[in-house]
Amino acid sequence: MESIIKGFMDLVKQRNQHEPEFLQAVEEVAETVIPYIVDHDIYYGKNILLRMVEPERVLMFRVPWIDDTGEIVVNRGFRIEMNSAIGPYKGGLRFHPTVNLSILKFLAFEQVLKNALTTLPMGGGKGGSDFDPKEKSDGEIMRFCQSFMSELFRHIGPNTDIPAGDIGVGGREIGYLFGMYKKLRNEFTGVLTGKGMSWGGSLIRPEATGYGTVYFAQSMLETRNDSFEGKVVTISGSGNVAQYAAEKTIQLGAKVVTLSDSGGYIYDEEGINTEKLEFVMDLKNNKRGRISEYVSKYPNAKYVAGERPWGVKCDIALPCATQNEVNLDDAKKLLANGCFVISEGANMPSEPEAVHAFQDAKILYAPGKASNAGGVATSGLEMSQNSLRIVWTREEVDQRLRKIMSNIHKNCIKYGKQDNGYVDYVRGANIAGFVKVADAMLAQGVV
Ligand code: NDP
Ligand code: 2IT
């Protein structure tokens, strides 16, 4: 088996040199899915995984715009249309200086399997730009978004490809992107998700990824007759996903003690309560400040520059910032401190060695493609409401989100439960997602 996996990976590596994040994401899937393919005649010998790792289409384009000083700036725009076997391409846009093909292809590949897990009819895609939104004026953000959309608009559409937010793309950016799309197409459609409530957005979409990550952790805890009540929780990041993961964690009676950004983390031993979280939301979303400012307001907390929060003792850790933010050392620290639940709000935040350490320790570990699927699932619910031209209540959307997260959990157990009772959520999520996409691809022929 190892030689089959190695043969497959050698080919993928040869074709995708200099794409370490993409290769990392593919290898994790190959390790769990290839043994399954070999065991199942309907998938064997059809190069199905090889087809899945090749994007259906990669778009790359120039994004020129003029900054506030009058200088012409040139960024790169991308959209990876990865797989449309079960529905139109669907996935976020990331604006961050590190964005490149490798990162977007890893995200698009993960998205294909994640979207399949949601049970909703969505294919997978991802896009973005190496544009850095930090310290840009509102006018600069708008002009950048308009330039970006003035090319992207010809490739997307409500039945073709429906982008949404990711790192650096929130409600403000979706608004500017939507406005430009509408102007160019002269059409008001649900072409983007994460829209504002008065122009086609869905209630709970802003909260969905963070809430979903916590709902998934709740389902894992229930397998051990446990709950969030009284637990100590460390969270990384302080953006959209981290904020709402913290909100739901607090609502469930647990204590959130950390948040972070790329500068460092804050540790509040007394717990970040609702009032403190409101301060963080205003600081990050309206003032666009740094998490270090938390300690000026709450001096009992401490700020640790240049580090990640994984050395802080906790029961549950929710990595909600970015890829590869938990390495083997971090994993060892988490385990040594008694952490027994990891639910990933971010995409691929744990390095492979960290994942293996969690699995060897038999803790409850959920990979992002399962645990953070609530965001895109609620995007799917936004698309349904747009198509039906109706608006569901907060309760209705939240109920559907809970149901979807609980179904994903069940599906992970179906394919991931081992003879000794341990649930390998990585295997479960990868195979469950693979089966759905592979069946559709096989039915549709070699296209
Ligand atoms: P935001 O832009 O709202 O927040 C990102 C947070 O992560 C910020 O606190 C940011 O800090 C931090 N961060 C970003 N890059 C780095 C880095 N290289 N090192 C350390 N910290 C970093 O993004 P989201 O909250 O939307 O996304 C967070 C994660 O969740 C990403 O992995 C994303 O792919 C994933 N995700 C998002 C979904 C969504 O619906 N938004 C859905 C599913 C997954 P700083 O401000 O310093 O950059
Ligand atoms: O990684 C993700 O799932 C997202 N950024 C959300 C994608 C979406 O289309 O809502």
Side-chain angles (χ1 to χ4, degrees), residues 94 96 107 114 126 134 165-169 205 209 237-242 260-263 284 290 320-323 345-347 372 375-376:
R94 176 177 291 192
H96 194 273
L107 288 163
K114 183 197 304 191
K126 199 85 187 191
K134 282 200 191 83
D166 194 79
I167 291 178
V169 178
R205 176 62 189 90
T209 311
S238 49
N240 171 269
V241 180
S260 72
D261 60 24
S262 53
K284 299 301 284 190
R290 309 300 302 157
C320 295
T322 192
Q323 67 275 356
N347 285 304
N372 73 36
V376 73

PDB file of all heavy atoms in Angstrom, residues 94 96 107 114 126 134 165-169 205 209 237-242 260-263 284 290 320-323 345-347 372 375-376, ligand 1:
ATOM      1  N   ARG A  94      -9.346  34.842  -0.618  1.00  0.00           N
ATOM      2  CA  ARG A  94      -8.414  35.252   0.433  1.00  0.00           C
ATOM      3  C   ARG A  94      -7.568  36.409  -0.076  1.00  0.00           C
ATOM      4  O   ARG A  94      -6.974  36.303  -1.156  1.00  0.00           O
ATOM      5  CB  ARG A  94      -7.521  34.071   0.830  1.00  0.00           C
ATOM      6  CG  ARG A  94      -6.463  34.447   1.859  1.00  0.00           C
ATOM      7  CD  ARG A  94      -5.630  33.253   2.300  1.00  0.00           C
ATOM      8  NE  ARG A  94      -6.410  32.295   3.094  1.00  0.00           N
ATOM      9  CZ  ARG A  94      -5.873  31.292   3.780  1.00  0.00           C
ATOM     10  NH1 ARG A  94      -4.562  31.107   3.774  1.00  0.00           N
ATOM     11  NH2 ARG A  94      -6.639  30.465   4.471  1.00  0.00           N
ATOM     12  N   HIS A  96      -4.333  38.211   1.085  1.00  0.00           N
ATOM     13  CA  HIS A  96      -3.236  38.183   2.062  1.00  0.00           C
ATOM     14  C   HIS A  96      -1.932  38.170   1.269  1.00  0.00           C
ATOM     15  O   HIS A  96      -1.864  37.523   0.222  1.00  0.00           O
ATOM     16  CB  HIS A  96      -3.350  36.926   2.949  1.00  0.00           C
ATOM     17  CG  HIS A  96      -2.495  36.971   4.182  1.00  0.00           C
ATOM     18  ND1 HIS A  96      -1.181  36.560   4.174  1.00  0.00           N
ATOM     19  CD2 HIS A  96      -2.755  37.388   5.442  1.00  0.00           C
ATOM     20  CE1 HIS A  96      -0.671  36.722   5.398  1.00  0.00           C
ATOM     21  NE2 HIS A  96      -1.609  37.226   6.179  1.00  0.00           N
ATOM     22  N   LEU A 107      -6.286  25.075  -0.672  1.00  0.00           N
ATOM     23  CA  LEU A 107      -7.597  25.469  -0.130  1.00  0.00           C
ATOM     24  C   LEU A 107      -8.731  24.973  -1.038  1.00  0.00           C
ATOM     25  O   LEU A 107      -9.763  24.508  -0.550  1.00  0.00           O
ATOM     26  CB  LEU A 107      -7.663  26.989   0.033  1.00  0.00           C
ATOM     27  CG  LEU A 107      -6.803  27.546   1.183  1.00  0.00           C
ATOM     28  CD1 LEU A 107      -6.585  29.051   1.031  1.00  0.00           C
ATOM     29  CD2 LEU A 107      -7.444  27.253   2.543  1.00  0.00           C
ATOM     30  N   LYS A 114     -14.735  19.211   1.583  1.00  0.00           N
ATOM     31  CA  LYS A 114     -15.534  19.867   2.626  1.00  0.00           C
ATOM     32  C   LYS A 114     -16.963  20.118   2.143  1.00  0.00           C
ATOM     33  O   LYS A 114     -17.933  19.814   2.824  1.00  0.00           O
ATOM     34  CB  LYS A 114     -14.879  21.207   2.972  1.00  0.00           C
ATOM     35  CG  LYS A 114     -15.550  21.980   4.091  1.00  0.00           C
ATOM     36  CD  LYS A 114     -15.134  23.456   4.132  1.00  0.00           C
ATOM     37  CE  LYS A 114     -13.645  23.655   4.235  1.00  0.00           C
ATOM     38  NZ  LYS A 114     -13.309  25.076   4.548  1.00  0.00           N
ATOM     39  N   LYS A 126     -11.559  28.120  -4.996  1.00  0.00           N
ATOM     40  CA  LYS A 126     -10.973  29.090  -4.060  1.00  0.00           C
ATOM     41  C   LYS A 126     -10.267  30.148  -4.886  1.00  0.00           C
ATOM     42  O   LYS A 126      -9.810  29.879  -5.990  1.00  0.00           O
ATOM     43  CB  LYS A 126      -9.942  28.411  -3.158  1.00  0.00           C
ATOM     44  CG  LYS A 126      -9.629  29.173  -1.894  1.00  0.00           C
ATOM     45  CD  LYS A 126     -10.630  28.859  -0.810  1.00  0.00           C
ATOM     46  CE  LYS A 126     -10.491  29.685   0.422  1.00  0.00           C
ATOM     47  NZ  LYS A 126     -11.322  29.158   1.508  1.00  0.00           N
ATOM     48  N   LYS A 134      -4.141  45.206   5.100  1.00  0.00           N
ATOM     49  CA  LYS A 134      -3.754  45.912   6.327  1.00  0.00           C
ATOM     50  C   LYS A 134      -3.311  47.339   6.014  1.00  0.00           C
ATOM     51  O   LYS A 134      -2.533  47.555   5.097  1.00  0.00           O
ATOM     52  CB  LYS A 134      -2.622  45.178   7.031  1.00  0.00           C
ATOM     53  CG  LYS A 134      -3.102  43.982   7.790  1.00  0.00           C
ATOM     54  CD  LYS A 134      -2.099  43.552   8.871  1.00  0.00           C
ATOM     55  CE  LYS A 134      -2.477  42.204   9.426  1.00  0.00           C
ATOM     56  NZ  LYS A 134      -2.001  41.074   8.621  1.00  0.00           N
ATOM     57  N   GLY A 165     -16.132  34.927   1.452  1.00  0.00           N
ATOM     58  CA  GLY A 165     -14.986  35.476   2.178  1.00  0.00           C
ATOM     59  C   GLY A 165     -14.011  34.408   2.652  1.00  0.00           C
ATOM     60  O   GLY A 165     -14.287  33.218   2.611  1.00  0.00           O
ATOM     61  N   ASP A 166     -12.856  34.856   3.063  1.00  0.00           N
ATOM     62  CA  ASP A 166     -11.846  34.028   3.746  1.00  0.00           C
ATOM     63  C   ASP A 166     -10.936  35.042   4.436  1.00  0.00           C
ATOM     64  O   ASP A 166     -11.358  36.188   4.692  1.00  0.00           O
ATOM     65  CB  ASP A 166     -11.085  33.135   2.748  1.00  0.00           C
ATOM     66  CG  ASP A 166     -10.275  32.034   3.440  1.00  0.00           C
ATOM     67  OD1 ASP A 166     -10.860  31.015   3.833  1.00  0.00           O
ATOM     68  OD2 ASP A 166      -9.045  32.190   3.607  1.00  0.00           O
ATOM     69  N   ILE A 167      -9.691  34.720   4.695  1.00  0.00           N
ATOM     70  CA  ILE A 167      -8.799  35.673   5.366  1.00  0.00           C
ATOM     71  C   ILE A 167      -8.747  36.982   4.567  1.00  0.00           C
ATOM     72  O   ILE A 167      -8.542  36.965   3.349  1.00  0.00           O
ATOM     73  CB  ILE A 167      -7.381  35.086   5.502  1.00  0.00           C
ATOM     74  CG1 ILE A 167      -7.396  33.927   6.519  1.00  0.00           C
ATOM     75  CG2 ILE A 167      -6.386  36.166   5.936  1.00  0.00           C
ATOM     76  CD1 ILE A 167      -6.049  33.238   6.686  1.00  0.00           C
ATOM     77  N   GLY A 168      -8.964  38.086   5.250  1.00  0.00           N
ATOM     78  CA  GLY A 168      -8.863  39.400   4.619  1.00  0.00           C
ATOM     79  C   GLY A 168     -10.067  39.794   3.784  1.00  0.00           C
ATOM     80  O   GLY A 168     -10.092  40.890   3.217  1.00  0.00           O
ATOM     81  N   VAL A 169     -11.043  38.927   3.690  1.00  0.00           N
ATOM     82  CA  VAL A 169     -12.264  39.251   2.937  1.00  0.00           C
ATOM     83  C   VAL A 169     -13.469  39.013   3.850  1.00  0.00           C
ATOM     84  O   VAL A 169     -13.793  37.865   4.182  1.00  0.00           O
ATOM     85  CB  VAL A 169     -12.385  38.404   1.646  1.00  0.00           C
ATOM     86  CG1 VAL A 169     -13.684  38.723   0.907  1.00  0.00           C
ATOM     87  CG2 VAL A 169     -11.182  38.650   0.731  1.00  0.00           C
ATOM     88  N   ARG A 205     -24.772  33.674   8.719  1.00  0.00           N
ATOM     89  CA  ARG A 205     -23.581  33.404   7.911  1.00  0.00           C
ATOM     90  C   ARG A 205     -22.314  33.962   8.570  1.00  0.00           C
ATOM     91  O   ARG A 205     -21.286  33.279   8.603  1.00  0.00           O
ATOM     92  CB  ARG A 205     -23.728  33.927   6.462  1.00  0.00           C
ATOM     93  CG  ARG A 205     -22.435  33.742   5.608  1.00  0.00           C
ATOM     94  CD  ARG A 205     -22.064  32.282   5.457  1.00  0.00           C
ATOM     95  NE  ARG A 205     -20.771  31.998   4.853  1.00  0.00           N
ATOM     96  CZ  ARG A 205     -19.611  31.851   5.498  1.00  0.00           C
ATOM     97  NH1 ARG A 205     -19.559  32.000   6.832  1.00  0.00           N
ATOM     98  NH2 ARG A 205     -18.508  31.549   4.864  1.00  0.00           N
ATOM     99  N   THR A 209     -19.070  29.804  10.663  1.00  0.00           N
ATOM    100  CA  THR A 209     -17.862  28.970  10.719  1.00  0.00           C
ATOM    101  C   THR A 209     -17.463  28.728  12.174  1.00  0.00           C
ATOM    102  O   THR A 209     -17.195  27.589  12.583  1.00  0.00           O
ATOM    103  CB  THR A 209     -16.709  29.623   9.941  1.00  0.00           C
ATOM    104  OG1 THR A 209     -17.184  30.020   8.659  1.00  0.00           O
ATOM    105  CG2 THR A 209     -15.547  28.672   9.790  1.00  0.00           C
ATOM    106  N   GLY A 237      -6.111  33.242  16.489  1.00  0.00           N
ATOM    107  CA  GLY A 237      -6.799  34.151  15.577  1.00  0.00           C
ATOM    108  C   GLY A 237      -7.685  35.096  16.366  1.00  0.00           C
ATOM    109  O   GLY A 237      -7.945  34.888  17.577  1.00  0.00           O
ATOM    110  N   SER A 238      -8.130  36.150  15.717  1.00  0.00           N
ATOM    111  CA  SER A 238      -9.095  37.070  16.325  1.00  0.00           C
ATOM    112  C   SER A 238      -9.955  37.674  15.228  1.00  0.00           C
ATOM    113  O   SER A 238     -10.519  38.743  15.379  1.00  0.00           O
ATOM    114  CB  SER A 238      -8.363  38.168  17.107  1.00  0.00           C
ATOM    115  OG  SER A 238      -7.339  38.746  16.309  1.00  0.00           O
ATOM    116  N   GLY A 239     -10.032  36.950  14.106  1.00  0.00           N
ATOM    117  CA  GLY A 239     -10.862  37.395  12.992  1.00  0.00           C
ATOM    118  C   GLY A 239     -12.239  36.774  13.056  1.00  0.00           C
ATOM    119  O   GLY A 239     -12.710  36.379  14.129  1.00  0.00           O
ATOM    120  N   ASN A 240     -12.867  36.659  11.907  1.00  0.00           N
ATOM    121  CA  ASN A 240     -14.253  36.205  11.843  1.00  0.00           C
ATOM    122  C   ASN A 240     -14.447  34.860  12.552  1.00  0.00           C
ATOM    123  O   ASN A 240     -15.333  34.710  13.404  1.00  0.00           O
ATOM    124  CB  ASN A 240     -14.685  36.105  10.372  1.00  0.00           C
ATOM    125  CG  ASN A 240     -16.027  35.435  10.220  1.00  0.00           C
ATOM    126  OD1 ASN A 240     -16.124  34.223  10.056  1.00  0.00           O
ATOM    127  ND2 ASN A 240     -17.082  36.210  10.326  1.00  0.00           N
ATOM    128  N   VAL A 241     -13.655  33.877  12.216  1.00  0.00           N
ATOM    129  CA  VAL A 241     -13.883  32.530  12.740  1.00  0.00           C
ATOM    130  C   VAL A 241     -13.607  32.482  14.244  1.00  0.00           C
ATOM    131  O   VAL A 241     -14.401  31.941  15.021  1.00  0.00           O
ATOM    132  CB  VAL A 241     -13.015  31.499  11.977  1.00  0.00           C
ATOM    133  CG1 VAL A 241     -13.249  30.097  12.512  1.00  0.00           C
ATOM    134  CG2 VAL A 241     -13.310  31.549  10.477  1.00  0.00           C
ATOM    135  N   ALA A 242     -12.490  33.072  14.662  1.00  0.00           N
ATOM    136  CA  ALA A 242     -12.112  33.060  16.080  1.00  0.00           C
ATOM    137  C   ALA A 242     -13.173  33.765  16.938  1.00  0.00           C
ATOM    138  O   ALA A 242     -13.548  33.277  18.011  1.00  0.00           O
ATOM    139  CB  ALA A 242     -10.752  33.738  16.255  1.00  0.00           C
ATOM    140  N   SER A 260      -5.464  35.518  19.306  1.00  0.00           N
ATOM    141  CA  SER A 260      -4.165  35.928  18.767  1.00  0.00           C
ATOM    142  C   SER A 260      -4.319  36.652  17.431  1.00  0.00           C
ATOM    143  O   SER A 260      -5.424  36.717  16.885  1.00  0.00           O
ATOM    144  CB  SER A 260      -3.266  34.700  18.563  1.00  0.00           C
ATOM    145  OG  SER A 260      -3.717  33.925  17.472  1.00  0.00           O
ATOM    146  N   ASP A 261      -3.227  37.183  16.935  1.00  0.00           N
ATOM    147  CA  ASP A 261      -3.137  37.570  15.526  1.00  0.00           C
ATOM    148  C   ASP A 261      -1.699  37.333  15.097  1.00  0.00           C
ATOM    149  O   ASP A 261      -0.919  36.706  15.850  1.00  0.00           O
ATOM    150  CB  ASP A 261      -3.647  39.004  15.247  1.00  0.00           C
ATOM    151  CG  ASP A 261      -2.895  40.073  15.999  1.00  0.00           C
ATOM    152  OD1 ASP A 261      -1.730  39.850  16.375  1.00  0.00           O
ATOM    153  OD2 ASP A 261      -3.478  41.165  16.194  1.00  0.00           O
ATOM    154  N   SER A 262      -1.316  37.802  13.927  1.00  0.00           N
ATOM    155  CA  SER A 262       0.014  37.440  13.448  1.00  0.00           C
ATOM    156  C   SER A 262       1.121  38.089  14.282  1.00  0.00           C
ATOM    157  O   SER A 262       2.288  37.719  14.151  1.00  0.00           O
ATOM    158  CB  SER A 262       0.166  37.790  11.966  1.00  0.00           C
ATOM    159  OG  SER A 262      -0.178  39.135  11.758  1.00  0.00           O
ATOM    160  N   GLY A 263       0.752  39.022  15.185  1.00  0.00           N
ATOM    161  CA  GLY A 263       1.764  39.644  16.038  1.00  0.00           C
ATOM    162  C   GLY A 263       2.063  38.874  17.309  1.00  0.00           C
ATOM    163  O   GLY A 263       3.163  38.946  17.860  1.00  0.00           O
ATOM    164  N   LYS A 284     -11.281  44.776  16.269  1.00  0.00           N
ATOM    165  CA  LYS A 284     -10.817  44.134  15.027  1.00  0.00           C
ATOM    166  C   LYS A 284     -11.691  44.521  13.826  1.00  0.00           C
ATOM    167  O   LYS A 284     -11.175  44.724  12.738  1.00  0.00           O
ATOM    168  CB  LYS A 284     -10.819  42.599  15.172  1.00  0.00           C
ATOM    169  CG  LYS A 284      -9.921  42.052  16.258  1.00  0.00           C
ATOM    170  CD  LYS A 284      -8.443  42.399  16.106  1.00  0.00           C
ATOM    171  CE  LYS A 284      -7.701  41.628  15.077  1.00  0.00           C
ATOM    172  NZ  LYS A 284      -6.231  41.847  15.136  1.00  0.00           N
ATOM    173  N   ARG A 290      -5.029  45.916  16.574  1.00  0.00           N
ATOM    174  CA  ARG A 290      -4.249  44.706  16.830  1.00  0.00           C
ATOM    175  C   ARG A 290      -4.671  44.091  18.175  1.00  0.00           C
ATOM    176  O   ARG A 290      -5.035  44.813  19.098  1.00  0.00           O
ATOM    177  CB  ARG A 290      -2.744  45.032  16.856  1.00  0.00           C
ATOM    178  CG  ARG A 290      -2.244  45.808  15.652  1.00  0.00           C
ATOM    179  CD  ARG A 290      -2.453  45.093  14.333  1.00  0.00           C
ATOM    180  NE  ARG A 290      -1.794  43.798  14.309  1.00  0.00           N
ATOM    181  CZ  ARG A 290      -2.163  42.782  13.493  1.00  0.00           C
ATOM    182  NH1 ARG A 290      -3.170  42.923  12.669  1.00  0.00           N
ATOM    183  NH2 ARG A 290      -1.519  41.637  13.535  1.00  0.00           N
ATOM    184  N   CYS A 320      -7.943  28.854  14.876  1.00  0.00           N
ATOM    185  CA  CYS A 320      -8.854  29.587  13.984  1.00  0.00           C
ATOM    186  C   CYS A 320      -8.131  30.699  13.232  1.00  0.00           C
ATOM    187  O   CYS A 320      -8.766  31.701  12.851  1.00  0.00           O
ATOM    188  CB  CYS A 320     -10.009  30.195  14.781  1.00  0.00           C
ATOM    189  SG  CYS A 320     -11.098  28.969  15.530  1.00  0.00           S
ATOM    190  N   ALA A 321      -6.816  30.590  13.014  1.00  0.00           N
ATOM    191  CA  ALA A 321      -6.101  31.674  12.326  1.00  0.00           C
ATOM    192  C   ALA A 321      -5.731  31.296  10.892  1.00  0.00           C
ATOM    193  O   ALA A 321      -6.277  31.824   9.929  1.00  0.00           O
ATOM    194  CB  ALA A 321      -4.862  32.087  13.105  1.00  0.00           C
ATOM    195  N   THR A 322      -4.805  30.327  10.738  1.00  0.00           N
ATOM    196  CA  THR A 322      -4.303  30.075   9.387  1.00  0.00           C
ATOM    197  C   THR A 322      -3.681  28.678   9.276  1.00  0.00           C
ATOM    198  O   THR A 322      -3.640  27.939  10.265  1.00  0.00           O
ATOM    199  CB  THR A 322      -3.284  31.179   9.003  1.00  0.00           C
ATOM    200  OG1 THR A 322      -2.999  31.102   7.606  1.00  0.00           O
ATOM    201  CG2 THR A 322      -1.989  31.047   9.791  1.00  0.00           C
ATOM    202  N   GLN A 323      -3.164  28.338   8.090  1.00  0.00           N
ATOM    203  CA  GLN A 323      -2.585  27.002   7.888  1.00  0.00           C
ATOM    204  C   GLN A 323      -1.242  26.871   8.610  1.00  0.00           C
ATOM    205  O   GLN A 323      -0.523  27.849   8.789  1.00  0.00           O
ATOM    206  CB  GLN A 323      -2.408  26.666   6.399  1.00  0.00           C
ATOM    207  CG  GLN A 323      -1.390  27.498   5.650  1.00  0.00           C
ATOM    208  CD  GLN A 323      -1.961  28.797   5.137  1.00  0.00           C
ATOM    209  OE1 GLN A 323      -3.147  29.053   5.277  1.00  0.00           O
ATOM    210  NE2 GLN A 323      -1.130  29.650   4.548  1.00  0.00           N
ATOM    211  N   GLY A 345     -10.981  25.425  13.272  1.00  0.00           N
ATOM    212  CA  GLY A 345     -11.791  26.434  12.576  1.00  0.00           C
ATOM    213  C   GLY A 345     -11.080  26.899  11.325  1.00  0.00           C
ATOM    214  O   GLY A 345     -11.705  27.258  10.323  1.00  0.00           O
ATOM    215  N   ALA A 346      -9.757  26.896  11.353  1.00  0.00           N
ATOM    216  CA  ALA A 346      -8.964  27.290  10.184  1.00  0.00           C
ATOM    217  C   ALA A 346      -8.829  26.102   9.231  1.00  0.00           C
ATOM    218  O   ALA A 346      -9.189  24.972   9.569  1.00  0.00           O
ATOM    219  CB  ALA A 346      -7.581  27.758  10.630  1.00  0.00           C
ATOM    220  N   ASN A 347      -8.305  26.356   8.048  1.00  0.00           N
ATOM    221  CA  ASN A 347      -8.037  25.295   7.088  1.00  0.00           C
ATOM    222  C   ASN A 347      -6.603  24.794   7.257  1.00  0.00           C
ATOM    223  O   ASN A 347      -5.660  25.585   7.165  1.00  0.00           O
ATOM    224  CB  ASN A 347      -8.239  25.815   5.663  1.00  0.00           C
ATOM    225  CG  ASN A 347      -9.715  25.967   5.317  1.00  0.00           C
ATOM    226  OD1 ASN A 347     -10.484  25.021   5.422  1.00  0.00           O
ATOM    227  ND2 ASN A 347     -10.119  27.173   4.935  1.00  0.00           N
ATOM    228  N   ASN A 372     -14.829  22.948  10.139  1.00  0.00           N
ATOM    229  CA  ASN A 372     -15.149  24.342   9.766  1.00  0.00           C
ATOM    230  C   ASN A 372     -16.104  24.431   8.587  1.00  0.00           C
ATOM    231  O   ASN A 372     -16.295  25.500   8.008  1.00  0.00           O
ATOM    232  CB  ASN A 372     -13.872  25.175   9.545  1.00  0.00           C
ATOM    233  CG  ASN A 372     -13.139  24.835   8.252  1.00  0.00           C
ATOM    234  OD1 ASN A 372     -13.744  24.537   7.230  1.00  0.00           O
ATOM    235  ND2 ASN A 372     -11.812  24.935   8.282  1.00  0.00           N
ATOM    236  N   GLY A 375     -19.315  27.163   7.770  1.00  0.00           N
ATOM    237  CA  GLY A 375     -19.299  28.437   7.038  1.00  0.00           C
ATOM    238  C   GLY A 375     -19.821  28.257   5.630  1.00  0.00           C
ATOM    239  O   GLY A 375     -20.786  28.919   5.215  1.00  0.00           O
ATOM    240  N   VAL A 376     -19.218  27.340   4.908  1.00  0.00           N
ATOM    241  CA  VAL A 376     -19.649  27.144   3.520  1.00  0.00           C
ATOM    242  C   VAL A 376     -21.050  26.523   3.478  1.00  0.00           C
ATOM    243  O   VAL A 376     -21.823  26.801   2.561  1.00  0.00           O
ATOM    244  CB  VAL A 376     -18.614  26.329   2.718  1.00  0.00           C
ATOM    245  CG1 VAL A 376     -18.602  24.865   3.103  1.00  0.00           C
ATOM    246  CG2 VAL A 376     -18.859  26.486   1.216  1.00  0.00           C
TER     247      VAL A 376
HETATM  248  P1  NDP B   1      -9.904  36.853   9.141  1.00  0.00           P
HETATM  249  O1  NDP B   1      -9.176  37.611   8.131  1.00  0.00           O
HETATM  250  O2  NDP B   1     -11.194  37.372   9.651  1.00  0.00           O
HETATM  251  O3  NDP B   1      -8.965  36.573  10.410  1.00  0.00           O
HETATM  252  C1  NDP B   1      -7.759  35.911  10.263  1.00  0.00           C
HETATM  253  C2  NDP B   1      -7.087  35.840  11.611  1.00  0.00           C
HETATM  254  O4  NDP B   1      -5.980  34.965  11.532  1.00  0.00           O
HETATM  255  C3  NDP B   1      -6.536  37.185  12.053  1.00  0.00           C
HETATM  256  O5  NDP B   1      -6.536  37.243  13.440  1.00  0.00           O
HETATM  257  C4  NDP B   1      -5.137  37.126  11.485  1.00  0.00           C
HETATM  258  O6  NDP B   1      -4.206  37.981  12.128  1.00  0.00           O
HETATM  259  C5  NDP B   1      -4.772  35.698  11.715  1.00  0.00           C
HETATM  260  N1  NDP B   1      -3.771  35.303  10.719  1.00  0.00           N
HETATM  261  C6  NDP B   1      -3.897  35.333   9.386  1.00  0.00           C
HETATM  262  N2  NDP B   1      -2.776  34.935   8.785  1.00  0.00           N
HETATM  263  C7  NDP B   1      -1.916  34.653   9.785  1.00  0.00           C
HETATM  264  C8  NDP B   1      -0.583  34.195   9.815  1.00  0.00           C
HETATM  265  N3  NDP B   1       0.086  33.951   8.688  1.00  0.00           N
HETATM  266  N4  NDP B   1      -0.025  33.987  11.032  1.00  0.00           N
HETATM  267  C9  NDP B   1      -0.707  34.230  12.170  1.00  0.00           C
HETATM  268  N5  NDP B   1      -1.972  34.684  12.201  1.00  0.00           N
HETATM  269  C10 NDP B   1      -2.556  34.886  11.029  1.00  0.00           C
HETATM  270  O7  NDP B   1     -10.098  35.391   8.508  1.00  0.00           O
HETATM  271  P2  NDP B   1     -11.109  34.247   8.950  1.00  0.00           P
HETATM  272  O8  NDP B   1     -11.361  34.303  10.403  1.00  0.00           O
HETATM  273  O9  NDP B   1     -12.244  34.265   8.013  1.00  0.00           O
HETATM  274  O10 NDP B   1     -10.258  32.937   8.593  1.00  0.00           O
HETATM  275  C11 NDP B   1      -9.445  32.267   9.537  1.00  0.00           C
HETATM  276  C12 NDP B   1      -9.221  30.828   9.094  1.00  0.00           C
HETATM  277  O11 NDP B   1     -10.476  30.153   8.960  1.00  0.00           O
HETATM  278  C13 NDP B   1      -8.529  30.666   7.735  1.00  0.00           C
HETATM  279  O12 NDP B   1      -7.740  29.501   7.767  1.00  0.00           O
HETATM  280  C14 NDP B   1      -9.697  30.441   6.787  1.00  0.00           C
HETATM  281  O13 NDP B   1      -9.302  29.761   5.613  1.00  0.00           O
HETATM  282  C15 NDP B   1     -10.593  29.588   7.659  1.00  0.00           C
HETATM  283  N6  NDP B   1     -11.998  29.534   7.295  1.00  0.00           N
HETATM  284  C16 NDP B   1     -12.748  30.657   7.157  1.00  0.00           C
HETATM  285  C17 NDP B   1     -14.086  30.567   6.840  1.00  0.00           C
HETATM  286  C18 NDP B   1     -14.953  31.774   6.760  1.00  0.00           C
HETATM  287  O14 NDP B   1     -16.163  31.589   6.569  1.00  0.00           O
HETATM  288  N7  NDP B   1     -14.469  32.978   6.910  1.00  0.00           N
HETATM  289  C19 NDP B   1     -14.716  29.269   6.593  1.00  0.00           C
HETATM  290  C20 NDP B   1     -13.864  28.136   6.846  1.00  0.00           C
HETATM  291  C21 NDP B   1     -12.552  28.287   7.166  1.00  0.00           C
HETATM  292  P3  NDP B   1      -3.671  39.309  11.424  1.00  0.00           P
HETATM  293  O15 NDP B   1      -4.793  40.270  11.511  1.00  0.00           O
HETATM  294  O16 NDP B   1      -2.468  39.703  12.170  1.00  0.00           O
HETATM  295  O17 NDP B   1      -3.364  38.928   9.987  1.00  0.00           O
END
